[in-house]
Amino acid sequence: SLDDSSSTAAGDTVMVDGSVVTITAGGTYTIRGTLADGQLIVDSADEEVVRLVLAGTDISHSDGAALAVLDAAKVIIVLAEDTQNRLIDGAGYVFPDASTDEPNAALYSTADLTITGDGSLTVEGNYNDGIGAKDGLVIAGGTITVTAADDGIRGKDYIVVDGGTISVAAGGDGLKADNAEDATKGYITINIGTIDITADGDAISAETDVLVAAGTLTLT
């Protein structure tokens, strides 16, 4: 239960430090409530999947990512049915030193990330990207609305869209996969879904391949 400096959690795998809530182990966590200026962190060293059920979650963070996955085997975000969820970062991030430049997205993950469910998620990336995954990103459901100063949705290794309704307004690219180090990665696959992108850069940008099998795409 998120509530600024009064957040609470059952069990000993969630740490609350003021307005920062940290999940430290795999498992399923249902998250509700508001952090007006706080952060949800996943920092799990074990091999179990971390499943985050967002069931009416509103997190804003003025100087960093609203939701940051720093370490995990894999993270699945489930948007609970009939719920509205929102993640917002600030226009200026505070990093520990001059050599650090990440996290750099309102929703940021170093692990493979899947977003699914029947609820909605609004992401406002005021600093850089809206959703940024350092590994792969799968979108399998939900109504996802992203605005971003730079790239809207970025999965470095790949982006796979297996469902959902996605709307992106980006100052950079709309959907982006940019792993240039591995010829088997850096791709975008759209199997089904409704996608509406308005981007100052490319609507869809992939280092290797873009495959559109089905779906409804509106790209500007």
Side-chain angles (χ1 to χ4, degrees):
S1 177
L2 305 180
D3 186 14
D4 294 324
S5 59
S6 302
S7 298
T8 59
D12 58 2
T13 59
V14 181
M15 298 189 302
V16 178
D17 183 7
S19 60
V20 178
V21 177
T22 303
I23 293 170
T24 63
T28 298
Y29 301 85
T30 299
I31 302 162
R32 300 181 178 89
T34 300
L35 293 176
D37 189 6
Q39 191 175 39
L40 177 63
I41 295 174
V42 175
D43 193 0
S44 169
D46 66 31
E47 294 301 313
E48 188 178 351
V49 173
V50 177
R51 183 174 284 99
L52 307 177
V53 181
L54 303 188
T57 304
D58 193 330
I59 303 174
S60 298
H61 191 29
S62 60
D63 55 13
L67 198 168
V69 178
L70 305 182
D71 189 16
K74 180 179 181 180
V75 173
I76 300 173
I77 294 176
V78 180
L79 307 175
E81 186 174 5
D82 297 328
T83 66
Q84 297 181 355
N85 305 279
R86 187 170 64 158
L87 303 172
I88 304 173
D89 66 3
Y93 278 26
V94 176
F95 295 111
D97 53 64
S99 63
T100 302
D101 58 2
E102 291 178 339
N104 60 356
L107 169 52
Y108 174 85
S109 179
T110 61
D112 285 334
L113 177 65
T114 296
I115 302 174
T116 189
D118 295 315
S120 69
L121 174 64
T122 298
V123 180
E124 297 180 19
N126 296 297
Y127 172 71
N128 190 56
D129 297 342
I131 299 173
K134 292 283 289 182
D135 284 346
L137 172 62
V138 176
I139 297 175
T143 300
I144 299 169
T145 304
V146 178
T147 58
D150 191 20
D151 301 327
I153 300 175
R154 178 174 176 263
K156 182 177 180 179
D157 289 350
Y158 57 82
I159 296 175
V160 176
V161 179
D162 279 331
T165 300
I166 301 167
S167 177
V168 176
D173 298 332
L175 302 184
K176 185 171 187 175
D178 59 353
N179 189 332
E181 302 162 3
D182 188 334
T184 67
K185 298 178 180 178
Y187 63 87
I188 295 175
T189 299
I190 299 170
N191 292 317
I192 193 170
T194 300
I195 301 172
D196 189 337
I197 298 174
T198 300
D200 289 351
D202 298 326
I204 297 177
S205 173
E207 188 66 31
T208 53
D209 298 318
V210 175
L211 171 64
V212 180
T216 301
L217 281 68
T218 304
L219 311 178
T220 304

